[in-house]
Amino acid sequence: MSHEIRVSLLRRHRDFRLLWCGETTGKFGASVTAVAMPLIAVSTLHASTWEVGLLSASAWLPWLIIGLPVGAWLDRVRRRPVMLTAAAVSFLLFSVVPVAAWTGRLNVGLLVVIALLTGTAAVFFQTAYTAYLPSILTPEDQPEGNAKLHGSASAAQIAGLGSAGLIGQTVGAVNAMFANAATFLLSLLCVASIRKREPRRDRTAVRSTAMLDEVGEGLRLVARDPWLRTLTLFGAASNLALMGYQSIQVVFLVHTVGLAPGAVGGLIAAASAGGIAGAFIARRVAGRIGTARATLLFELGFALFALLIPAASAGAGLLLFATGGFCVSAGVVAGNVIKASFQQRYCPPELLGRLTATTAFLNYGTIPLGALLGGWLGTIFDLRTAMWITTAGVPLAALILLFSPIGRSRDLPMVPRPRSVPGRTRPRPSPSPRSR
């Protein structure tokens, strides 16, 4: 029966299908940008390792600056119009890059500004999208929905990474930015076609609480709950290490390994293919050994393979990069599938926007720091040494999970304890028992 539901969700749920299509195409474009922007900086603008790290950091810096207030604000308004606006802004901004190149005005400074602005749009879109999903899916469909979204996002990421090098080689890295702009246009059209409308927020209710208090409520929710606190701290530490090596991997592959720019996207795509495998096996493994144990397996066990990445060399040595990246991607995506379904069931709907923003602020807030760290390490050491240091941090971060309640449990809880959620006096009734 569960297999039937899993197969039929995309067929029978039009609104989810549109959201899935819009999100997937957006991930494809973002993946093209993840390779194209550094390639533009390195091959066209001759940027330094530090400038490439700064460029990567700029795309994530808005999470650190506006992530918390955006989450509180989104709990006051309908999320779909916010997603539409963010997609439209991203479409326009990414179109600026090739236009600036044609007019001779493209430089590293402009790329950094565009990365900052599109990163800001991403804060609004991603926070709204995460809080919006439960409004169109029932609790029973949410695990499958999360798995499909994470799986397709990984597939789109692989296709985008692989296409980026090919597109860049065919039409130039600058013109490849048109592919990203087009995907945000398609995402805009898909979200605009969703029929279900969110109910209007009760303005009287939302005005009774100051924005600052709502931000504080989200922070207290995470700080007081051992499960949310552990996952958030781990996410912050893990992203610091992940972005540390990912921000300089293009430079490492081109300058140290000697890989041609056109082949960089293909290799990173092969490494990222683990994301599809992770999304596919996440629920099955969690069902067999428990959600907490599966989280530990994916986030710690698979992370150990990150140490293969800096050992990569030309020729057959590229398999080390592909294998290490494949395992890391599988573990990250599988862990995210389990975590997303856990948070959507565990957190009361009225606090989901604040929870999303608080965890994103702490998780994504370390990404620009990791990018700057990678660029700095690549400047004071050689690139291979910088890769060794940053990849070693990936399994070390997972020790937070090992020495937490997750390391002593079989499953993540379905509902919070009575005092773990501000404003609640008793736990919610448990949804139908599914292991996730």
Side-chain angles (χ1 to χ4, degrees), residues 104-232:
R105 298 180 179 179
L106 184 63
N107 53 55
V108 174
L110 180 60
L111 285 182
V112 168
V113 170
I114 290 175
L116 278 170
L117 294 176
T118 53
T120 300
V123 172
F124 283 93
F125 187 93
Q126 191 64 35
T127 306
Y129 150 77
T130 305
Y132 179 70
L133 181 63
S135 71
I136 64 172
L137 292 182
T138 63
E140 291 73 22
D141 281 335
Q142 286 172 21
E144 181 192 354
N146 283 314
K148 278 185 165 55
L149 284 165
H150 281 285
S152 61
S154 295
Q157 181 184 40
I158 294 163
L161 292 171
S163 300
L166 180 61
I167 295 172
Q169 204 166 22
T170 304
V171 300
V174 171
N175 292 328
M177 298 302 293
F178 272 131
N180 194 19
T183 59
F184 278 99
L185 178 60
L186 181 56
S187 179
L188 172 66
L189 295 175
C190 288
V191 175
S193 301
I194 294 177
R195 291 173 182 166
K196 185 173 181 179
R197 296 294 181 264
E198 300 168 89
R200 290 188 177 276
R201 302 288 173 177
D202 186 345
R203 297 290 180 179
T204 302
V206 298
R207 286 175 183 168
S208 64
T209 305
M211 179 77 74
L212 188 60
D213 291 339
E214 294 184 4
V215 170
E217 190 174 14
L219 288 169
R220 289 190 296 272
L221 172 62
V222 172
R224 293 175 179 176
D225 189 286
W227 304 94
L228 297 175
R229 183 173 64 246
T230 296
L231 288 170
T232 302

Side-chain angles (χ1 to χ4, degrees), residues 40-79:
I40 292 171
V42 172
S43 60
T44 302
L45 302 176
H46 308 292
S48 66
T49 302
W50 167 254
E51 287 174 324
V52 173
L54 179 62
L55 179 61
S56 299
S58 299
W60 295 97
L61 187 60
W63 285 101
L64 198 57
I65 299 173
I66 64 170
L68 287 176
V70 166
W73 178 71
L74 282 170
D75 278 337
R76 297 168 174 251
V77 301
R78 289 181 291 179
R79 284 79 180 242

Side-chain angles (χ1 to χ4, degrees), residues 8-48:
S8 64
L9 180 58
L10 281 172
R11 296 178 184 175
R12 64 182 169 81
H13 203 303
R14 177 184 177 275
D15 285 347
F16 174 75
R17 186 164 61 246
L18 286 167
L19 183 65
W20 172 82
C21 180
E23 173 69 2
T24 301
T25 54
K27 292 295 185 186
F28 173 84
S31 297
V32 171
T33 302
V35 175
M37 289 277 262
L39 281 178
I40 292 171
V42 172
S43 60
T44 302
L45 302 176
H46 308 292
S48 66

